[in-house]
Amino acid sequence: MNISTNYDITKDELKGKVILVTGANRGFGKALTLDLAKAGATVIMLGRDLGSLETAYDEVVNNNFAEPILYPMDLEGATPEHYQQLQKDILDNFGKLDGLIHNASTIGTMMPIDQYDIKIWYSTMQINVNAPFMLTQFLIPVLNKSDDSRVIFLSSSVGRTARAYWGAYGVSKFAIEGLSKTLSEELEKTNIKVNSLDPRRMRTEMRRTAYPAENAEKNPLPESMSPAIVYLMSDAAKNINGEQLTLELD
Ligand SMILES: NC(=O)c1ccc[n+]([C@@H]2O[C@H](COP(=O)([O-])OP(=O)(O)OC[C@H]3O[C@@H](n4cnc5c(N)ncnc54)[C@H](OP(=O)(O)O)[C@@H]3O)[C@@H](O)[C@H]2O)c1
């Protein structure tokens, strides 16, 4: 299902909503954090680098958008105990969670499978698959406290059609598609809607790493794509469930 990026954000349309974004410090995560906060949502900004998280926080606050919460966490090293603590912190402070956006990812390395570095394979699967699995598992009880909550797993075209040399990253996105679909079926009778989303190409660090020789200027900025996330968190999108979503470049 295609989702238009041409969405006008209305002030306070997400007021009262609490939304957790992983990798909120830069790239697409930062762009969508700014837009969600612009729409009035309280964003729990999860990231591993406190300095850039604080810079992104300042940007939100300096724009007079809803004040976010910083939550430093390294998804590679996080254990079930860390996720348990996060669950408790959200319950104690907000009593519910309305949105969970699994945005953080690592590209790993571009290499054929028969030569793929095993350590990079493990860390890529840990950050891109195991962490979203654990985060989701621990946050389902908190998402259940909301009368209308959404989970979005950031995916990629290489998680829908296999491409040579994309290695652990491509495989991890196939796993994310499977996780998203399985979860959406299991939660069908709850208030939690679950979808995967391919944002298409964006001018970020990840894209530069994957395509070092291309002219980055031709790729859209993440902030031109992120209003679609506000739409996906809005009332208008409340019946979208179990879909493979793709952002539509205008
Ligand atoms: N850009 C594209 O063209 C494109 C295309 C298709 C899909 N996507 C998907 O869109 C999402 C956002 O991509 P992007 O382009 O914004 O990527 P990016 O610029 O590389 O940003 C990745 C984010 O993930 C965070 N992250 C990585 N490892 C982490 C860890 N161990 N713990 C916590 N956070 C960690 C990074 O934090 P640090 O700053 O600490 O590294 C950063 O905030 C990803 O899921 C990606 O797969 C992107």
Side-chain angles (χ1 to χ4, degrees):
M1 177 190 262
N2 285 346
I3 300 292
S4 170
T5 51
N6 190 5
Y7 179 72
D8 286 330
I9 298 169
T10 309
K11 191 174 181 300
D12 288 346
E13 67 175 298
L14 298 180
K15 195 174 162 66
K17 304 261 185 210
V18 182
I19 300 173
L20 189 147
V21 177
T22 67
N25 56 314
R26 64 179 171 91
F28 191 49
K30 182 173 120 180
L32 64 94
T33 292
L34 277 155
D35 277 345
L36 292 169
K38 182 179 182 181
T42 301
V43 180
I44 302 172
M45 300 173 66
L46 190 150
R48 64 180 162 182
D49 177 50
L50 186 57
S52 50
L53 269 179
E54 283 175 343
T55 306
Y57 170 96
D58 288 346
E59 214 173 304
V60 176
V61 171
N62 292 340
N63 273 294
N64 287 320
F65 299 156
E67 189 179 355
I69 308 289
L70 296 186
Y71 207 95
M73 185 188 271
D74 183 340
L75 294 172
E76 186 170 2
T79 63
E81 289 69 34
H82 294 105
Y83 295 112
Q84 181 88 61
Q85 185 61 47
L86 173 62
Q87 180 198 71
K88 184 176 179 322
D89 290 341
I90 297 175
L91 270 178
D92 290 351
N93 286 286
F94 301 107
K96 61 152 190 176
L97 185 65
D98 304 289
L100 171 57
I101 303 178
H102 293 286
N103 165 78
S105 260
T106 178
I107 192 91
T109 184
M110 311 292 266
M111 221 179 255
I113 297 289
D114 67 350
Q115 291 164 32
Y116 205 91
D117 183 282
I118 290 170
K119 270 201 183 134
I120 298 177
W121 182 279
Y122 266 83
S123 72
T124 304
M125 297 309 261
Q126 187 66 16
I127 295 164
N128 294 6
V129 183
N130 299 335
F133 154 66
M134 286 189 276
L135 188 54
T136 306
Q137 187 181 69
F138 279 93
L139 294 186
I140 285 173
V142 200
L143 288 158
N144 256 325
K145 301 265 180 201
S146 163
D147 54 15
D148 176 13
S149 54
R150 320 277 165 85
V151 179
I152 297 176
F153 291 96
L154 266 293
S155 183
S156 165
S157 58
V158 297
R160 294 178 182 171
T161 306
R163 203 175 308 156
Y165 314 123
W166 281 72
Y169 177 80
V171 172
S172 76
K173 294 300 186 183
F174 267 94
I176 278 301
E177 292 287 351
L179 176 59
S180 177
K181 191 70 185 161
T182 305
L183 190 65
S184 72
E185 293 197 4
E186 288 174 1
L187 299 178
E188 205 173 29
K189 295 198 165 58
T190 72
N191 292 322
I192 309 174
K193 303 291 188 298
V194 184
N195 296 287
S196 67
L197 176 74
D198 172 10
R200 314 268 295 271
R201 59 189 168 80
M202 294 179 290
R203 205 184 308 168
T204 66
E205 201 54 45
M206 182 176 283
R207 178 80 193 185
R208 273 190 288 278
T209 307
Y211 295 91
E214 81 177 356
N215 174 11
E217 300 289 309
K218 74 180 176 62
N219 296 324
L221 290 166
E223 44 270 43
S224 64
M225 314 300 277
S226 51
I229 300 290
V230 176
Y231 164 73
L232 289 171
M233 290 287 142
S234 75
D235 239 28
K238 73 188 216 184
N239 293 322
I240 302 177
N241 191 36
E243 299 281 349
Q244 290 187 313
L245 308 173
T246 303
L247 294 190
E248 209 167 52
L249 295 167
D250 289 326

